[in-house]
Amino acid sequence: MEPLHPGSAIQLEDVTKVFDGVVAVDRLTVLFESGRTHVLLGSSGCGKSTILRLILGLLPPDGGTVRVGGQAVDASGRPGLSGRMGYVVQEGGLYPHLTAYRNVSLAAEARRWGGERIRARIGELARLVGFGDGILRSYPAELSGGQRQRVSLMRALMLDPPILLLDEPLGSLDPLVRADLQQQLKEIFTPMGKTVVLVTHDIREAAFFGSTITLMTGGRIVQRGSFADLVRRPASEFVTAFLSAQAPTPEMRELLH
Amino acid sequence: MMRTTPPHVSTPGTRRSSGRAQAITALAAVILPLAWGQAACTEARPTVRVGSKTFTESYILGEIVAEVIERTGEARVERKLGLGDTGIAYRAVAHGDIDLYPEYTGTLSQAILKDPSARTVAEIRRELAGTGLTLGSPVGFNNTYALAVRQEMAKRLRLSSISDLTRHPELTAAFSSGFTDREDGWPGLRRHYGLDLADVRVMEHALTYEALAQGEVDVIDIYSTDGKLERLDLAILDDDRQFFPAYHAVLLVREDFISRFPRSWRALEGQLAGGIDDRQMSRLNALADLDGQGIAQVAATFLGSDGPDDLRERRLVRDVLDLTVDHIYLVLVSLGAAVLLGVPLGILAARHEGLGQAELVAVGILQTIPSLALLCFMIPLFGIGKLPALVALSLYALLPIVRNTYTGLIGIDRQLLEIAGVLGLSRWQRLTRIELPLSSLHIMAGIKTSAVWTVGTATLAAFIGGGGYGDLIVRGLALDDLSLILSGAVPAALMALVIHGLFELVDRVVIPKGLRKTLSTSL
């Protein structure tokens, strides 16, 4: 498949990150190819969120290099890359003092877009996530969890970045809303051809989204591949143990028989 | 209860008044233009500024001086009565903010010149040579410390002098804190006479009379022109071994005043030199302290004139209105300066970890410096009046603003700040659109605390001639006039309530709606 944003591959080379003597990312080398949806799977504390923050340049690596589109990420050079990456976190990370609309428009305001252009773009995004009038006039505290995540997604997509980094975006939603939003997200991502890196600890979510799944533990990669690869050809006992720790999905059952 | 504080108790940098503060001169740059705008309005006829300290006797002498000068028609008189203490009054006259005020020889030699050997008026004049200050002739009375006992006990134990007390070590005493602290008070007296008393309690001076009358104690310290001496059944013990230094009342005056207003000076010397003895001063003090007469009334009685034609109530209402304007001005300008300085300092503290801690400690120390000491420091820099008061009040108001700005900023969820970076906000945009609005609840709470606090501390401005409700309170305390105290204290309390209410409204404008919603849902 020809990627729509050819220059947006993300490459980590021998990257290490240590927090207070605890190794969060351990000499990790991985390539997230352009234009595909990648899932970083693992239990909490395995280093997957740290990887996103290294890619964003929010943290400097203690060793190795992070490249985005072939260009090394410099922890101080965020403004250069900021327009190219959208970021969604678990609780949405919305600013409570701003309306949903202002949360979404913030990045464009910082770049001095005109009001008309901002309105037009927000109109497109609202249609994309299925928001009617009114919702965007609300403050985050007035929205449901699912609505907040949609606003957060709109904010991440505002500048139409080629890369989208999602850190447990559905982690705090109840199951029904979650299933609904999963479906919607997939419908949004697939035609856009963005390079998506989604972090989750949920196997079903990984199976649902990931064209490639990277299973991690202790700051290292255990196995990379499709969901079917992980199930049928587990690289180690850990893979099988991790997969079977959660209730098997219909897809898993299908694959296993 | 300043009324009962003897003049010589006040020394520079007294610890008596609770207070806080320090001196950052940078603040002056903010306030200077505002305060001078006010000061510049009154220059036409030559003006004489008459000062006094904050006890009845000093007020009465100051008022007499003012009226004598007014009668000559030589100059307009501005009354700067009720300056905080010796340090403030002396600095004010030395700095030229006032032209003269009544002082005492003992205070001059002990507290101002710090040379106990200069005792007489002539000796003190010699020491003042070259400072631009000099003394008038002694007024006549000697307001010194003395010890008093109940008349009945004096007869029974045959006590007539301080030496007689050595025969009665079973007696107990209550002394004012000034007297017990000072070398020319109880510690020195005790050594000088070889005294030993069964129990020495430290008590507010006003309460010692009652304690003596009730027989709870046997000996108290008094001062020799005390208005109560006229009315109470006290025996004063003779200082037979001449321990207490003399405190002859005398005008401390700028030499240039004498040359600019010779007629006024002649009139003052004619009226005051040797004009008031101990008994007469004691009577005048009693008129003000015990009979509730106004200072102007007492001064008129002494000068043999009719006294103020204004009704006291009318004058009071006018005073309260004038002083309300003063007080609002003091609060708003000093609070404004404190916000302009405090919020940036809070931001700076939040940005730099080490600097932040040092800054908070420094601002905290400001609060521990006694207010009178701070006001004293201000005089060489800013003179007396509104300006030094504004600088001091702004410094007092800093702490809650700096601390709350700092706390608000460092309390912001880190993730929200990271997202601002990811969204590409510049440092300035991050500060103005994210950080300050998110900490606005804290910052506004700090400003509100400072505002209410400043309404209270602004009453201290009166000690330095800055006006405001403190004027009435200080006068009322000096005269033991409860209605006068309340006429300052009640409006100040009301103003604090009004300001608090206004800030509730300001909150609605300043604090983003979304934050108030978050707050109500999270409670």
Side-chain angles (χ1 to χ4, degrees):
Chain A
M1 183 169 58
E2 189 63 24
L4 294 180
H5 296 283
S8 56
I10 300 165
Q11 200 173 4
L12 279 75
E13 287 170 12
D14 206 23
V15 170
T16 300
K17 184 69 201 175
V18 183
F19 293 112
D20 295 330
V22 177
V23 180
V25 177
D26 190 5
R27 303 196 61 180
L28 190 85
T29 297
V30 64
L31 173 71
F32 299 113
E33 297 89 349
S34 193
R36 299 174 68 180
T37 300
H38 307 268
V39 171
L40 270 178
L41 178 65
S43 28
S44 54
C46 74
K48 53 198 196 308
S49 294
T50 306
I51 291 173
L52 291 194
R53 299 175 71 218
L54 286 164
I55 296 170
L56 285 162
L58 294 172
L59 296 172
D62 295 317
T65 329
V66 179
R67 288 179 207 280
V68 173
Q71 189 187 339
V73 175
D74 164 6
S76 66
R78 252 176 288 155
L81 286 169
S82 62
R84 295 177 51 193
M85 294 189 268
Y87 185 37
V88 177
V89 297
Q90 182 164 353
E91 307 276 356
L94 297 178
Y95 295 110
H97 65 293
L98 300 176
T99 59
Y101 188 95
R102 289 288 316 282
N103 264 285
V104 176
S105 67
L106 211 50
E109 284 174 36
R111 285 164 179 75
R112 312 208 176 284
W113 283 22
E116 201 44 56
R117 186 176 169 200
I118 292 177
R119 257 193 302 285
R121 174 65 180 155
I122 291 182
E124 281 170 35
L125 292 170
R127 276 191 297 282
L128 190 67
V129 301
F131 273 169
D133 288 348
I135 290 183
L136 290 176
R137 280 196 292 273
S138 310
Y139 286 93
E142 301 166 319
L143 299 173
S144 71
Q147 287 171 328
R148 277 203 284 270
Q149 288 312 88
R150 286 185 178 90
V151 174
S152 187
L153 181 68
M154 286 174 70
R155 184 172 69 179
L157 292 172
M158 182 68 195
L159 302 176
D160 197 16
I163 295 168
L164 208 47
L165 305 174
L166 310 165
D167 193 350
E168 301 271 11
L170 309 174
S172 59
L173 303 179
D174 62 65
L176 278 178
V177 180
R178 189 175 177 136
D180 191 34
L181 200 53
Q182 265 181 3
Q183 191 60 43
Q184 196 181 12
L185 281 179
K186 194 167 186 177
E187 283 162 15
I188 291 169
F189 295 157
T190 313
M192 281 199 283
K194 294 188 188 301
T195 308
V196 177
V197 180
L198 185 143
V199 162
T200 183
H201 63 273
D202 185 303
I203 298 162
R204 299 179 201 212
E205 207 162 286
F208 184 81
F209 282 112
S211 55
T212 50
I213 294 171
T214 306
L215 178 62
M216 294 185 60
T217 188
R220 288 169 172 272
I221 294 173
V222 184
Q223 187 170 0
R224 282 198 89 194
S226 67
F227 185 67
D229 291 339
L230 265 63
V231 175
R232 291 196 185 128
R233 289 181 290 281
S236 70
E237 282 296 302
F238 177 83
V239 179
T240 316
F242 189 88
L243 294 182
S244 49
Q246 295 176 40
T249 63
E251 296 95 321
M252 276 175 75
R253 264 188 235 113
E254 205 174 294
L255 286 164
L256 289 168
H257 294 111
Chain B
M1 289 292 148
M2 302 209 179
R3 164 180 67 86
T4 48
T5 305
H8 32 293
V9 165
S10 306
T11 54
T14 334
R15 283 153 287 130
R16 200 180 337 128
S17 178
S18 70
R20 5 101 228 139
Q22 180 273 346
I24 292 176
T25 36
L27 186 60
V30 182
I31 306 169
L32 258 153
L34 291 159
W36 278 355
Q38 266 233 337
C41 304
T42 48
E43 301 294 323
R45 195 140 80 92
T47 303
V48 173
R49 292 185 185 82
V50 178
S52 84
K53 294 196 270 185
T54 56
F55 47 90
T56 306
E57 190 170 289
S58 195
Y59 271 109
I60 294 172
L61 289 178
E63 182 62 32
I64 290 172
V65 167
E67 288 188 21
V68 168
I69 296 173
E70 271 171 350
R71 284 178 185 193
T72 67
E74 209 173 21
R76 209 171 64 79
V77 176
E78 202 177 305
R79 288 166 175 75
K80 292 281 179 190
L81 306 184
L83 297 173
D85 75 350
T86 302
I88 290 173
Y90 177 73
R91 279 178 178 77
V93 73
H95 193 260
D97 291 303
I98 56 175
D99 294 287
L100 71 169
Y101 78 97
E103 194 45 280
Y104 300 85
T105 53
T107 310
L108 281 157
S109 57
Q110 309 258 341
I112 295 175
L113 298 172
K114 306 220 167 19
D115 177 7
S117 70
R119 283 164 171 269
T120 67
V121 169
E123 282 164 353
I124 294 170
R125 257 194 214 123
R126 245 195 323 279
E127 294 232 357
L128 284 171
T131 62
L133 300 174
T134 189
L135 298 184
S137 307
V139 174
F141 66 86
N142 174 18
N143 181 353
T144 189
Y145 279 121
L147 296 188
V149 296
R150 285 183 303 280
Q151 195 72 256
E152 154 276 315
M153 195 178 76
K155 286 202 185 92
R156 186 160 46 83
L157 300 178
R158 265 180 257 121
L159 300 173
S160 65
S161 68
I162 297 176
S163 296
D164 294 337
L165 288 177
T166 54
R167 290 185 280 110
H168 294 281
E170 77 282 5
L171 298 181
T172 62
F175 294 142
S176 57
S177 64
F179 186 72
T180 39
D181 289 347
R182 293 168 62 100
E183 196 41 44
D184 59 350
W186 173 240
L189 183 74
R190 190 179 172 174
R191 272 199 308 279
H192 192 79
Y193 280 92
L195 280 177
D196 201 11
L197 295 177
D199 181 30
V200 173
R201 268 184 266 172
V202 181
M203 217 183 255
E204 176 60 43
H205 188 72
L207 306 176
T208 59
Y209 295 100
E210 190 59 20
L212 184 74
Q214 298 295 319
E216 286 170 38
V217 296
D218 307 311
V219 185
I220 62 171
D221 65 299
I222 57 157
Y223 59 106
S224 49
T225 57
D226 193 327
K228 285 209 170 80
L229 293 184
E230 285 287 303
R231 318 284 167 98
L232 296 175
D233 206 15
L234 297 180
I236 295 175
L237 300 179
D238 185 28
D239 182 14
D240 54 328
R241 290 177 58 191
Q242 287 85 40
F243 170 73
F244 291 123
Y247 286 86
H248 294 289
V250 67
L251 293 179
L252 179 59
V253 59
R254 294 183 63 79
E255 285 172 335
D256 59 2
F257 168 80
I258 297 175
S259 53
R260 280 164 62 216
F261 304 103
R263 277 197 294 128
S264 296
W265 185 242
R266 273 199 305 278
L268 284 170
E269 286 285 276
Q271 190 73 248
L272 284 177
I276 310 177
D277 64 12
D278 286 11
R279 282 187 67 87
Q280 190 174 7
M281 193 65 239
S282 170
R283 252 181 250 125
L284 293 174
N285 283 334
L287 287 179
D289 284 344
L290 305 177
D291 299 342
Q293 289 192 17
I295 294 293
Q297 185 64 49
V298 176
T301 305
F302 170 76
L303 293 169
S305 59
D306 290 338
D309 44 6
D310 254 2
L311 282 172
R312 187 169 175 272
E313 285 69 24
R314 249 179 31 218
R315 266 169 75 111
L316 189 61
V317 169
R318 206 180 52 205
D319 277 1
V320 171
L321 292 178
D322 283 354
L323 295 173
T324 301
V325 175
D326 265 13
H327 209 82
I328 292 174
Y329 174 85
L330 287 169
V331 170
L332 291 186
V333 174
S334 56
L335 187 68
V339 171
L340 289 180
L341 187 66
V343 173
L345 279 175
I347 294 170
L348 203 65
R351 290 272 185 274
H352 306 278
E353 191 54 35
L355 180 68
Q357 290 310 316
E359 204 182 274
L360 289 173
V361 168
V363 177
I365 288 173
L366 286 188
Q367 309 291 309
T368 67
I369 296 184
S371 50
L372 282 182
L374 178 73
L375 291 173
C376 279
F377 298 153
M378 294 291 158
I379 296 172
L381 296 170
F382 310 112
I384 64 167
K386 294 230 165 17
L387 179 60
L390 288 170
V391 175
L393 289 173
S394 307
L395 294 174
Y396 286 147
L398 270 184
L399 180 64
I401 298 176
V402 175
R403 194 180 45 203
N404 278 36
T405 304
Y406 170 81
T407 315
L409 287 175
I410 62 163
I412 297 175
D413 184 356
R414 264 191 70 89
Q415 197 174 47
L416 292 181
L417 297 180
E418 289 183 352
I419 288 170
V422 173
L423 292 175
L425 270 60
S426 67
R427 280 173 75 93
W428 179 251
Q429 288 169 331
R430 227 184 308 173
L431 179 68
T432 56
R433 298 187 189 196
I434 307 295
E435 295 180 83
L436 289 179
L438 282 178
S439 25
S440 57
L441 274 172
H442 273 99
I443 297 174
M444 288 308 294
I447 294 174
K448 202 187 303 179
T449 305
S450 279
V452 172
W453 187 346
T454 302
V455 173
T457 48
T459 57
L460 294 171
F463 284 130
I464 199 168
Y469 291 137
D471 233 40
L472 296 167
I473 298 174
V474 171
R475 251 191 284 160
L477 285 169
L479 300 174
D480 198 15
D481 181 340
L482 188 62
S483 67
L484 203 54
I485 296 174
L486 290 178
S487 67
V490 171
L494 288 177
M495 188 181 286
L497 286 175
V498 169
I499 290 223
H500 189 84
L502 284 177
F503 266 93
E504 299 293 325
L505 296 178
V506 173
D507 277 356
R508 278 162 208 251
V509 179
V510 173
I511 296 174
K513 200 168 150 229
L515 280 187
R516 281 180 273 130
K517 285 205 159 73
T518 318
L519 191 71
S520 57
T521 49
S522 68
L523 283 178

